[in-house]
């Protein structure tokens, strides 16, 4: 009997042959890029084997690669491009700003305008500071928590991603055999460069497990500066919080005097008040990124005046928070234009398209006798080929990820772009029911194609 890897290689090699015929220019550019870029690429999550697609342009919900292939874009720059590509209002705002100056070593009025727009939407945030990525946002939010609490350890959810600084690179997607018991995860470094001392600083807890979370947090309560979490764990498959878990963690952290940080870098797009608005919970600090920059590099973090004053130069003993491109006017102009277009009606519409796509995927899976699920919230969905309901990292990790890789390639062949590393789907405002139907047709055809692979490698997923 062939092992699973050998079966997968047979399937993917066949897909590669077809892929290579249609993407010759991408292949050429990738080969050339390898001369000066390690692996030909500087963003790991855009790489996939045999080589990533090089994009020429995007317009609305369409993407065009350098070989002239057209795709409907359900990845949307990993959820950041909520208005799709080249939204006219955003492009106009950026063009206008570019003519005035690209960046200055001085504030501009737009910094306070975008800051106000964020604070108006997010009830728990009175003040924000800008930076250039989500990674910086979580780094500085954790720093704010440490400065305010005088404590240093942080608690995170196992299977959650908060960027690529050391403190965030623990127990993100750990190998299960290194990750310890389900109810007491071991802190696992994402790579060899995470120092041992960092592992002592970061404590992982299982999502949606109140008992285990409480036990671990109470045990270390005196040393914990903050808990950082999302209302829906994005990276391990858009897993929503369930059974009052979020309220529970809010109450526990409040009782113990631990700062609660919500990472809303992905979930901001779920509603006018972000993910926290849906659950009506107010964390102490919040991090932002992606959508608030309208498609340009951005990050921000905020909370109450009291917590944020540690970075105010008006306060004695404040701490430096700097960055050459913090609050650069191009990003601010794009962000302001983007949020202006992000009306309650626009958000409701893409959220209902999200519901439509999740329901559609689930009924196609059922109709075709394949066990799996689309989960998520609002305009975000994630496809899983899993037997057990995905509710935390451990259940997510049981999935048939090779089937997801094949699904990505089948969908690409049918002109649909989703995340290569997983079944992540993000809806944008230029989409309508028409694009959802096109997705679902392509999804069903792809599923029929890969069903024999799923049967060979995970027969328990076939009814
Ligand atoms: C939840 C979450 N936090 C933080 C980050 C890091 O953001 P950035 O890639 O802008 O550094 C990401 C990026 O995908 C994210 O999904």
């Amino acid at each position: 009997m062939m092992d699973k890897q050998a079966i997968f290689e047979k399937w993917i090699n066949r897909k590669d042959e077809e892929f290579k015929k249609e993407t010759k220019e991408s292949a050429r550019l990738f080969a050339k890029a390898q001369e000066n870029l390690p692996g030909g690429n500087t963003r790991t999550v855009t790489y996939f084997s045999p080589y990533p697609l090089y994009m020429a342009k995007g317009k609305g919900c369409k993407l065009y690669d350098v070989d002239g292939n057209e795709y409907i874009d359900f990845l949307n720059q990993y959820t950041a491009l909520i208005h799709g590509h080249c939204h006219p209002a955003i492009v106009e705002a950026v063009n206008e700003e570019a003519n005035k100056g690209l960046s200055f070593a001085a504030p501009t009025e737009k910094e306070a305008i975008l800051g106000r727009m964020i604070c108006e939407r997010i009830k728990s945030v009175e003040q924000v500071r800008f930076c250039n990525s989500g990674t910086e946002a979580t780094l500085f939010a954790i720093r704010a928590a440490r400065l305010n609490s005088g404590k240093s350890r942080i608690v995170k959810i196992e299977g959650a991603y908060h960027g690529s600084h050391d403190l965030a690179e623990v127990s993100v997607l750990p190998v299960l055999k290194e990750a310890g018991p389900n109810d007491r995860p071991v802190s696992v470094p994402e790579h060899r460069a995470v120092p041992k001392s960092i592992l002592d600083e970061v404590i992982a807890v299982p999502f949606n497990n109140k008992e285990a979370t409480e036990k671990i947090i109470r045990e270390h309560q005196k040393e914990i500066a903050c808990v950082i979490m999302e209302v829906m764990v994005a990276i391990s498959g858009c897993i929503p919080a369930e059974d009052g878990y979020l309220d529970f963690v809010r109450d526990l952290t409040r009782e113990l005097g631990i700062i609660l940080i919500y990472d809303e870098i992905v979930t901001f797009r779920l509603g006018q008040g972000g993910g926290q608005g849906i659950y009506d919970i107010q964390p102490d600090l919040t991090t932002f990124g992606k959508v608030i920059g309208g498609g340009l590099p951005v990050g921000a973090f905020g909370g109450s005046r009291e917590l944020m004053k540690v970075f105010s130069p008006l306060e004695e003993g404040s701490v430096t928070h700097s960055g050459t491109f913090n609050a650069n006017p191009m990003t601010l102009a794009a962000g302001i234009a983007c949020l202006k277009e992000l009306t309650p009606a626009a958000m409701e519409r893409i959220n209902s398209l999200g519901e439509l796509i999740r329901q559609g995927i689930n009924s196609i899976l059922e109709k075709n006798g394949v066990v799996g699920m689309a989960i998520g919230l609002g305009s975000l969905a994630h496809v899983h080929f899993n037997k057990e309901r995905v509710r935390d990292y451990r259940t997510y990790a049981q999935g048939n990820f090779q089937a997801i890789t094949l699904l990505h390639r089948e969908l690409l062949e049918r002109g649909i772009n989703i995340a290569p590393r997983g079944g992540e789907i993000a809806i944008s405002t230029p989409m309508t029911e028409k694009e959802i139907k096109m997705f679902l047709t392509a999804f069903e055809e792809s599923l029929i194609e890969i069903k024999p692979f799923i049967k060979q490698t995970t027969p328990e997923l076939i009814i």
Side-chain angles (χ1 to χ4, degrees):
M1 240 267 290
M2 268 170 116
D3 72 5
K4 281 185 190 177
Q5 186 57 27
I7 298 170
F8 174 68
E9 274 166 26
K10 213 172 114 211
W11 277 72
I12 200 74
N13 289 344
R14 218 176 54 218
K15 287 286 107 192
D16 283 354
E17 277 169 35
E18 290 162 31
F19 180 82
K20 285 175 183 168
K21 278 188 218 148
E22 304 299 328
T23 58
K24 294 199 167 91
E25 186 58 9
S26 280
R28 191 186 70 78
L29 293 177
F30 183 65
K32 194 157 172 47
Q34 285 172 65
E35 288 166 20
N36 302 107
L37 310 173
N41 167 283
T42 45
R43 190 176 176 197
T44 306
V45 292
T46 58
Y47 173 80
F48 62 88
S49 176
Y51 48 82
L53 288 173
Y54 278 65
M55 291 304 162
K57 59 180 183 188
K59 188 90 189 146
C61 61
K62 299 274 180 63
L63 257 183
Y64 303 86
D65 71 17
V66 288
D67 288 278
N69 299 305
E70 180 181 312
Y71 307 90
I72 306 175
D73 191 7
F74 282 89
L75 176 54
N76 283 302
Q77 180 45 326
Y78 277 97
T79 78
L81 291 181
I82 198 160
H83 297 302
H85 301 271
C86 289
H87 187 287
I90 300 176
V91 173
E92 193 188 323
V94 168
N95 280 337
E96 200 179 297
E97 205 59 37
N99 282 311
K100 295 189 210 154
L102 297 177
S103 58
F104 310 106
T108 62
E109 189 187 359
K110 289 198 162 62
E111 184 171 6
I113 295 174
L114 186 58
R116 176 179 289 275
M117 288 172 98
I118 293 169
C119 295
E120 278 171 358
R121 283 175 183 246
I122 309 295
K123 260 202 266 176
S124 66
V125 176
E126 288 180 312
Q127 296 196 320
V128 285
R129 288 182 75 92
F130 289 102
C131 46
N132 295 293
S133 67
T135 290
E136 287 174 59
T138 62
L139 185 149
F140 282 106
I142 292 169
R143 187 168 296 172
R146 284 173 154 182
L147 287 165
N148 277 288
S149 67
K151 297 183 274 181
S152 83
R153 294 180 92 178
I154 71 163
V155 170
K156 71 161 311 241
I157 302 291
E158 186 183 44
Y161 177 65
H162 299 294
S164 50
H165 53 88
D166 281 354
L167 283 172
E169 300 241 81
V170 177
S171 296
V172 181
L173 297 170
V175 177
L176 283 186
K177 63 177 189 308
E178 292 170 16
N182 288 4
D183 59 356
R184 188 163 282 272
V186 169
S187 294
V188 180
E190 275 305 289
H191 50 73
R192 302 185 300 283
V194 176
K196 274 210 186 74
S197 56
I198 289 286
L199 300 180
D200 287 338
E201 292 293 320
V202 183
I203 303 166
V205 295
F207 196 51
N208 280 331
N209 183 336
K210 291 183 205 167
E211 295 72 31
T213 301
E214 177 169 17
K215 209 162 172 215
I216 297 168
I217 292 181
R218 282 198 188 277
E219 225 167 81
H220 302 287
Q221 55 176 285
K222 292 213 168 65
E223 302 124 46
I224 299 171
C226 61
V227 173
I228 182 165
M229 65 189 299
E230 298 165 278
V231 301
M232 179 195 77
V233 183
I235 199 178
S236 39
C238 291
I239 311 172
E242 48 185 59
D243 301 336
Y245 182 73
L246 296 173
D247 280 304
F248 175 79
V249 177
R250 175 63 285 190
D251 292 345
L252 182 67
T253 48
R254 194 170 277 133
E255 179 203 324
L256 301 178
I258 294 171
I259 290 171
L260 178 62
I261 305 175
Y262 273 4
D263 179 342
E264 294 253 26
I265 288 161
V266 170
T267 54
F268 178 82
R269 62 148 54 219
L270 296 179
Q272 283 290 304
Q276 55 194 267
I278 302 175
Y279 293 93
D280 199 19
I281 298 177
Q282 299 203 18
D284 302 301
L285 292 168
T286 302
T287 61
F288 306 95
K290 299 199 192 266
V291 164
I292 64 154
L296 293 187
V298 77
F301 59 100
S304 65
R305 267 166 221 284
E306 188 53 31
L307 291 181
M308 290 298 286
K309 75 179 185 201
V310 287
F311 294 115
S312 163
L314 306 177
E315 298 286 332
E316 213 178 298
S318 66
V319 168
T320 301
H321 162 232
S322 222
T324 303
F325 295 106
N326 284 3
N328 73 80
M330 303 292 286
T331 293
L332 297 171
I336 292 167
C338 172
L339 292 195
K340 274 190 189 155
E341 297 292 322
L342 209 52
T343 59
M347 286 183 120
E348 250 170 58
R349 204 178 65 74
I350 55 170
N351 286 349
S352 63
L353 293 180
E355 188 55 33
L356 202 63
I357 213 164
R358 288 190 293 275
Q359 280 173 7
I361 294 169
N362 285 327
S363 45
I364 290 169
L365 286 166
E366 200 179 329
K367 181 177 147 205
N368 287 279
V370 177
V371 180
M373 70 211 78
I375 59 171
L377 288 173
S379 57
L380 298 172
H382 199 112
V383 184
H384 299 270
F385 292 117
N386 284 55
K387 196 163 175 65
E388 216 182 310
R389 187 166 54 90
V390 175
R391 59 185 304 269
D392 56 16
Y393 177 67
R394 303 293 169 114
T395 43
Y396 161 77
Q398 309 291 343
N400 186 335
F401 296 110
Q402 292 172 331
I404 294 286
T405 302
L406 290 172
L407 174 70
H408 167 246
R409 299 290 289 278
E410 291 290 343
L411 286 172
L412 272 186
E413 273 177 29
R414 291 168 176 79
I416 302 285
N417 186 46
I418 64 166
R421 66 160 165 77
E424 195 178 345
I425 295 161
I427 311 288
S428 62
T429 57
M431 288 181 179
T432 62
E433 286 188 16
K434 182 176 145 214
E435 281 77 28
I436 306 299
K437 280 196 189 119
M438 288 166 81
F439 177 95
L440 293 173
T441 304
F443 179 77
E444 182 153 26
E445 289 172 10
S446 303
L447 187 69
I448 290 167
E449 233 7 86
I450 65 174
K451 189 175 167 184
F453 171 80
I454 298 175
K455 191 172 177 185
Q456 272 179 297
T457 51
T458 40
E460 67 277 17
L461 296 183
I462 302 295
I463 300 165

